[in-house]
Amino acid sequence: MRIIARSTLRSFWEQYPDAEQPLKAWFNEASRADWQSPSDIKSLYRNASILANNRVVFNIKGNNYRLIVHVRYDIGIIFIRFIGTHKEYDKIDATTI
């Protein structure tokens, strides 16, 4: 999968250094993946939450942070829509961000 944009992750781990390695691990796994459907994601990430509008929420670093992506299965692209703390996550609508 092609991931847009890694710079969003980098900016986040510069602010929260403890998130760097988990985000790099997620990026490496996701970029090598060939997800064709939400079930492909769930087979690798059992704790991922599949939402409306092709959004997926990943728990990062033992659920300390939340990563929301929009997946275009048809063209193999993952768009990073949000990365933040639980407090920040609680203030947004994950299905529309």
Side-chain angles (χ1 to χ4, degrees):
M1 305 291 290
R2 184 172 168 215
I3 302 172
I4 301 174
R6 185 175 186 187
S7 61
T8 304
L9 300 179
R10 187 178 310 113
S11 295
F12 185 78
W13 76 55
E14 287 172 356
Q15 185 176 3
Y16 298 94
D18 61 331
E20 181 174 2
Q21 290 309 314
L23 286 171
K24 283 182 175 179
W26 176 87
F27 184 90
N28 289 334
E29 289 175 350
S31 61
R32 288 192 308 263
D34 181 25
W35 296 330
Q36 299 295 311
S37 70
S39 62
D40 292 341
I41 296 172
K42 288 296 275 187
S43 68
L44 184 59
Y45 295 97
R46 291 179 298 151
N47 293 326
S49 298
I50 308 298
L51 305 178
N53 299 324
N54 291 323
R55 301 295 199 276
V56 182
V57 180
F58 294 94
N59 298 320
I60 303 296
K61 194 186 174 287
N63 208 15
N64 288 348
Y65 306 108
R66 295 282 178 96
L67 171 64
I68 302 174
V69 300
H70 176 212
V71 182
R72 286 286 310 268
Y73 301 99
D74 57 334
I75 57 176
I77 296 179
I78 299 170
F79 297 94
I80 296 173
R81 305 299 298 155
F82 171 86
I83 177 73
T85 65
H86 273 275
K87 187 175 181 179
E88 294 165 336
Y89 175 82
D90 290 340
K91 295 178 182 178
I92 64 161
D93 180 355
T95 61
T96 59
I97 195 163

